[in-house]
Amino acid sequence: MKYDYLIVGAGLFGAVFAHEMTKRGKKCLVIDKRDHIAGNIYCETVEGIHVHKYGAHIFHTSNKKIWEYVNQFAEFNNYINSPVAVYQNELYNLPFNMNTFSKMWGIRTPQEAKDKIAEQIAELNITDPQNLEEQALSLVGRDVYEKLVKGYTEKQWGRDCKDLPAFIIKRLPLRFVYDNNYFNDRFQGIPMGGYTAIVEKLLEGSEVLLDTDYFDYRKSHPDIADKTVYTGMLDRYFDYKLGVLEYRSVRFEHEILETENYQGNAVVNYTEREVPYTRIIEHKHFEFGSQPKTVISREYPSEWKQGDEPYYPVNDAKNEALVQQYRELAAAERDVIFGGRLGEYRYYDMDKVVEAALQAVDRELA
C-alpha cells in the first residue's frame, strides 16, 4: 500500500501532522521505535494515577489558537505549576518571588528584597560575566545563586557552573510579588485523563506501527510514501556524516508508595548537588487525585551517549555550528519534513511543538 506521508515518530509533532492531513483525505502511516504512542508525553495508568513516564509535562501557552486546538481533544483542568525547592533543610517557593525572598531573608516588602539583591550584586562587582556562575551571580546575587541555582544547574548539565558558558542563562526572572505560579502564560492545565488519550484521538484514521525502527523499515519499504515527516534525531538521519550532536539524557526511577500523599506537591526540586536527582514528581497532584496510594518519580540527569534516549540539546557554540550544517542538509531533502525537538535540535515546549506542526501542514498545503 502506498501512503501520502510516512510519519516517523508518534509524538506530538507527528500526531498533529497526521491528524491534519488525515482530515484532508491524505493517507498517513505513523511508525515509532517505542512500544507506545505519544512520545515523551506518554502517560501510563498506575494505581489509577496517570504517570508521566518521561518527566512532568504541564501544558501552558499564551497562544489562544493553540489552547483552543488542544482543547478539542481533552478537557483540561485548572492545575497551576507551583514547584517548591529543597536546599538542605530549607524549603523555598519557585519561581523566585516574594515568598522565596521572605523565607530566605526574613523580609516582607518588595523594596527590601530589591535592596538585598542589589547589595549582593554590587559586592560581587561582576561587569563582564565569563561563565554561567558569574552570569547568574550578576543577576540574582550570592544567596539565591548558592541555594537555588548552582547545584541544580550543575546536576542538569553534569558540569561545574564555572565550566558552562554564560549565555545558557540569559536571565533569571525575579518576581517581586507573592505569586508561586511558575509560568507567565495565560492558559495552563493538565488534560484530564492524561496526554496519551489526546494522541490516540489525533492518530484516529492513521495507520500506526509500533516497535518499528525507521532506518530498518525504509530499507525494506523504500517507496512506501510520497513524503516523509521525520521527528527523530537530525544527525542520525544523515548517519552522523558531519559529526555527532550532543544531548543531555534523563533516567527516571518510578516508585509506588503505600501512602496517600508523599510530598504535598506535584514538583519538588532538590537544589544541592550532593542529592543525585534534580526533582521528585508526585503524579497524582497534577489531577488533584485522592487515590489511597501514590506514585513518585525521581529524575537523574545524565551524560548522553549513542544508544541512550536524548532529551534536550546542548546548545553551546560547538553544537550550534554543527547543527547549522545539518539544517542546510535537511533543507536540501525535498521530500522530507523535519520536525520536533530531535528533528530540529531545539528545546520545544508542547505548545510550540503543536504550533510548529500546524505551520508545517500549512506549508505543505500552500
Side-chain angles (χ1 to χ4, degrees), residues 74 101 200 206 269 312 333 338 351 365:
F101 308 141
E200 284 173 352
S206 297
N269 291 1
Y312 47 95
E333 293 280 306
F338 294 84
D351 65 321
L365 299 173

Side-chain angles (χ1 to χ4, degrees), residues 115-162:
D115 291 346
K116 189 77 175 175
I117 292 166
E119 176 190 327
Q120 292 192 1
I121 291 172
E123 285 173 359
L124 294 161
N125 194 30
I126 298 168
T127 54
D128 182 21
Q130 295 300 301
N131 54 52
L132 187 147
E133 175 163 292
E134 291 182 358
Q135 173 79 339
L137 285 168
S138 70
L139 292 169
V140 296
R142 186 166 298 284
D143 288 349
V144 174
Y145 171 72
E146 292 286 351
K147 293 188 175 187
L148 300 177
V149 177
K150 178 177 165 60
Y152 192 91
T153 304
E154 290 179 343
K155 285 189 286 189
Q156 266 196 316
W157 293 99
R159 293 160 180 78
D160 193 284
C161 284
K162 292 189 182 74

Side-chain angles (χ1 to χ4, degrees), residues 169-351:
I169 293 184
K170 293 185 173 65
R171 65 187 191 91
L172 283 168
L174 298 169
R175 297 184 191 167
F176 297 97
V177 290
Y178 288 90
D179 182 3
N180 298 324
N181 183 355
Y182 194 82
F183 299 120
N184 286 316
D185 290 307
R186 180 179 171 192
F187 307 106
Q188 182 175 174
I190 300 280
M192 293 159 70
Y195 287 98
T196 307
I198 291 179
V199 179
E200 284 173 352
K201 289 180 181 175
L202 286 166
L203 291 175
E204 284 175 4
S206 297
E207 189 171 338
V208 179
L209 291 177
L210 301 176
D211 293 308
T212 302
D213 179 81
Y214 166 64
F215 299 99
D216 294 335
Y217 189 79
R218 75 176 179 181
K219 287 175 190 170
S220 51
H221 302 83
D223 301 312
I224 193 73
D226 294 331
K227 278 197 168 184
T228 298
V229 177
Y230 178 79
T231 69
M233 294 167 62
L234 180 58
D235 52 353
R236 173 73 180 91
Y237 181 88
F238 294 103
D239 200 25
Y240 309 109
K241 65 195 274 183
L242 302 176
V244 177
L245 291 166
E246 293 178 290
Y247 296 86
R248 290 290 289 166
S249 193
V250 185
R251 178 173 62 85
F252 301 96
E253 229 177 52
H254 308 287
E255 187 178 357
I256 301 169
L257 300 176
E258 301 282 336
T259 183
E260 185 184 348
N261 186 359
Y262 173 70
Q263 63 185 16
N265 204 50
V267 182
V268 178
N269 291 1
Y270 287 80
T271 61
E272 292 168 80
R273 189 164 184 178
E274 293 70 25
V275 177
Y277 41 86
T278 49
R279 60 184 186 173
I280 296 178
I281 306 301
E282 187 168 9
H283 301 269
K284 70 191 303 177
H285 296 306
F286 289 130
E287 297 184 63
F288 315 111
S290 57
Q291 297 88 348
K293 296 182 184 180
T294 196
V295 182
I296 64 168
S297 300
R298 296 178 180 87
E299 298 185 8
Y300 297 82
S302 61
E303 213 52 59
W304 176 85
K305 59 186 185 300
Q306 283 178 256
D308 291 344
E309 192 64 40
Y311 279 91
Y312 47 95
V314 179
N315 294 125
D316 59 13
K318 180 183 78 171
N319 284 289
E320 280 303 303
L322 181 56
V323 76
Q324 196 50 48
Q325 295 177 59
Y326 274 121
R327 286 173 185 151
E328 289 168 11
L329 290 181
E333 293 280 306
R334 288 179 50 225
D335 295 325
V336 183
I337 297 164
F338 294 84
R341 66 192 170 87
L342 301 182
E344 297 183 57
Y345 195 70
R346 285 196 176 99
Y347 183 83
Y348 271 129
D349 285 329
M350 284 180 288
D351 65 321

Side-chain angles (χ1 to χ4, degrees), residues 31-96:
I31 66 173
D32 201 292
K33 66 179 182 179
R34 288 173 170 168
D35 63 0
H36 60 75
I37 62 169
N40 283 357
I41 63 172
Y42 173 68
C43 293
E44 180 181 38
T45 304
V46 179
E47 299 290 339
I49 299 162
H50 298 118
V51 174
H52 298 211
K53 292 288 284 187
Y54 303 97
H57 287 84
I58 297 110
F59 201 95
H60 58 99
T61 186
S62 291
N63 188 327
K64 189 176 181 182
K65 176 186 170 187
I66 298 301
W67 181 246
E68 289 174 345
Y69 184 85
V70 297
N71 273 266
Q72 297 176 91
F73 308 103
E75 184 178 351
F76 280 70
N77 66 19
N78 62 344
Y79 176 82
I80 299 294
N81 189 31
S82 304
V84 296
V86 175
Y87 175 79
Q88 297 181 2
N89 293 321
E90 300 167 13
L91 194 73
Y92 294 100
N93 290 104
L94 298 175
F96 311 139

